[in-house]
Amino acid sequence: MTEERLMSRKKPAFPVCPELEAYLEEFSRKIEIPISYEDLLRFAGAVVVYDSLGEDTLWVRVYYSDSERQEIDLSLKRVYSILHSDGSDRIFQYLNVDAVDYCTFGNSKPFRIKVRNILNDNFTYFYVKKTDASRIYGLELEHMLSPYNLNFLVCGNTLIEEHIAGIPGDVFIRDMLPSCSESEKAQLAKEFVKFNERCMIRLLGDMRSYNYVIIPVHDFDHVVYRIRAIDFDQQCFEGKLKIYRPQFFKENFTMVELVRKKLLPDSVDQYKVEERSIVAKRILSSGDRIRKLVDIARKDPISLPEHIERLKSDIYDLTLDVNFRKCETMGDILALALDFVRRNYEDVSMRQIIEKRIRI
């Protein structure tokens, strides 16, 4: 199946409803920032950014007129301080905005800001994007249901995201996977199975290889690999269940083949159960916060009617849970999917407790 037939042509940006805005304020995600996405669009010119192989990265490095550069630099330093520190200006003298890059590819068209500490040349990035309710739901769900915390801020029509460090999946697959040891490939296969399951459970779509990163972690005498999503634009929008399963994108074919070669079917099933159980535990531990977010999503029109009809039918075919046929919104489907995972986990745990008591 081609990419064009699998994905919708273009996903619209959805506004932040008042209920979601109140949620963001309650959990310290909403904040006043000194610069907006539109401010950064006032660049005077741009040059293409090439990678180390001389290929176009689809980013351009923008520059501003002298009359605006100083104000923009100061505002971006303040955003950095709010995102990573206490928001004060005492660190400004040690910061330099080395680059402002603009992405010409994809829906969000973000700005990537490179900030360097002039005392030691350490640098980091953050992103300035247009606000989209889908992306906010995706970021919050990633924060609560994945192994990773996320730092982001929202102000009106502007979204600030911290940089997620790692090796882009497509780069890793092309340049580094061939030199991995057999045990490392088996571990990567395991991680891809878990990543695939996690995306499907929380309805995060479009995880093509360039929308996630692979993170090598050195542990004693070996390297452990983790897979982490970096693009949350396609949260709860598409109608085809395959969109929420990374295994069906042609860009991930190499990883799918790795799973087939390195893991037995029983092992694949085991890792799926492990990931579902971990997500269920995170749902339970997140308490009232995830319930509030999902309740808001249930009333929020973040998809199209035809997508909702298609997805609830696809998930019913997978789970045979008739409740999915009763869903009216994409948030309803998300709520029921998370509840399905939680209930299954609790049912298994209760059976184990009962069986243990019977044996005693």
Side-chain angles (χ1 to χ4, degrees):
M1 182 177 291
T2 65
E3 178 181 311
E4 286 74 22
R5 292 173 60 192
L6 189 62
M7 296 282 295
S8 296
R9 288 292 182 181
K10 184 173 177 62
K11 173 192 164 294
F14 293 98
V16 176
C17 66
E19 293 79 10
L20 181 56
E21 189 172 358
Y23 170 93
L24 294 170
E25 186 166 12
E26 179 181 354
F27 292 100
S28 302
R29 298 294 200 188
K30 181 184 175 185
I31 195 166
E32 291 299 318
I33 53 177
I35 195 168
S36 70
Y37 179 88
E38 280 71 22
D39 291 333
L40 293 179
L41 288 173
R42 301 199 307 262
F43 51 85
V47 294
V48 176
V49 176
Y50 296 97
D51 64 17
S52 59
L53 300 177
E55 297 181 359
D56 189 348
T57 62
L58 303 179
W59 290 84
V60 295
R61 185 148 299 165
V62 303
Y63 55 89
Y64 299 88
S65 64
D66 292 341
S67 60
E68 291 193 326
R69 179 70 201 196
Q70 187 174 359
E71 180 184 351
I72 287 175
D73 275 14
L74 184 63
S75 296
L76 291 175
K77 290 177 183 179
R78 189 170 298 281
V79 170
Y80 173 91
S81 180
I82 294 171
L83 189 65
H84 291 291
S85 186
D86 59 2
S88 68
D89 58 4
R90 61 188 176 189
I91 63 172
F92 288 6
Q93 60 182 316
Y94 309 122
L95 302 178
N96 188 69
V97 178
D98 277 10
V100 178
D101 297 334
Y102 178 61
C103 184
T104 58
F105 174 74
N107 285 332
S108 60
K109 291 185 168 53
F111 285 92
R112 181 179 62 196
I113 317 300
K114 181 180 179 181
V115 179
R116 178 173 55 90
N117 186 307
I118 62 176
L119 296 179
N120 50 37
D121 278 343
N122 285 329
F123 63 88
T124 189
Y125 299 94
F126 67 85
Y127 298 85
V128 181
K129 302 180 179 181
K130 291 181 288 187
T131 301
D132 176 12
S134 296
R135 189 173 295 111
I136 291 173
Y137 286 118
L139 289 164
E140 273 293 292
L141 288 169
E142 178 76 2
H143 179 75
M144 288 185 275
L145 298 183
S146 82
Y148 315 102
N149 292 329
L150 274 178
N151 188 15
F152 69 93
L153 302 170
V154 178
C155 179
N157 64 348
T158 301
L159 172 66
I160 308 294
E161 286 182 34
E162 70 176 350
H163 175 65
I164 298 174
I167 304 165
D170 55 339
V171 174
F172 184 93
I173 292 169
R174 182 191 68 205
D175 298 340
M176 301 174 187
L177 181 59
S179 61
C180 287
S181 68
E182 295 307 307
S183 63
E184 288 173 342
K185 290 179 180 178
Q187 197 267 328
L188 274 163
K190 168 187 172 181
E191 284 302 309
F192 186 78
V193 169
K194 292 193 163 201
F195 178 67
N196 189 78
E197 193 71 10
R198 188 161 66 246
C199 292
M200 183 181 67
I201 290 170
R202 43 78 61 91
L203 300 183
L204 176 61
D206 193 17
M207 281 298 108
R208 286 171 280 188
S209 56
Y210 50 77
N211 285 333
Y212 60 81
V213 293
I214 296 178
I215 307 168
V217 180
H218 292 266
D219 183 24
F220 293 105
D221 59 348
H222 66 290
V223 177
V224 177
Y225 293 95
R226 298 286 182 257
I227 302 178
R228 184 174 180 182
I230 59 172
D231 191 330
F232 304 94
D233 181 62
Q234 289 286 345
Q235 176 68 51
C236 296
F237 173 72
E238 291 284 352
K240 300 172 185 175
L241 184 58
K242 286 184 176 181
I243 298 296
Y244 304 104
R245 306 176 75 178
Q247 70 186 79
F248 287 107
F249 287 99
K250 67 179 186 295
E251 292 85 353
N252 295 325
F253 175 76
T254 302
M255 298 298 285
V256 174
E257 281 296 291
L258 201 63
V259 172
R260 186 182 64 82
K261 292 177 181 177
K262 292 296 180 182
L263 301 180
L264 296 173
D266 286 347
S267 294
V268 172
D269 291 340
Q270 172 197 339
Y271 296 140
K272 288 181 178 180
V273 171
E274 286 181 8
E275 192 59 31
R276 287 196 292 268
S277 299
I278 291 171
V279 171
K281 291 175 183 177
R282 293 192 182 112
I283 293 171
L284 292 169
S285 64
S286 64
D288 198 44
R289 180 167 181 168
I290 195 166
R291 182 189 60 78
K292 287 184 176 182
L293 183 71
V294 172
D295 284 349
I296 295 167
R298 296 181 69 172
K299 303 172 187 176
D300 203 350
I302 51 174
S303 188
L304 305 177
E306 57 269 28
H307 289 181
I308 296 167
E309 290 301 314
R310 171 67 183 270
L311 185 60
K312 69 183 188 182
S313 177
D314 282 0
I315 297 182
Y316 168 76
D317 292 340
L318 178 68
T319 64
L320 300 181
D321 186 336
V322 71
N323 290 309
F324 281 106
R325 290 194 177 276
K326 304 174 185 177
C327 293
E328 297 181 355
T329 67
M330 197 59 88
D332 287 341
I333 299 174
L334 173 65
L336 192 55
L338 296 180
D339 191 57
F340 183 86
V341 171
R342 179 191 59 80
R343 282 187 286 110
N344 283 352
Y345 170 77
E346 290 182 326
D347 289 346
V348 170
S349 299
M350 183 56 66
R351 285 199 302 270
Q352 291 174 340
I353 292 172
I354 293 172
E355 290 171 359
K356 183 177 180 180
R357 288 177 177 173
I358 291 174
R359 287 197 299 270
I360 293 174

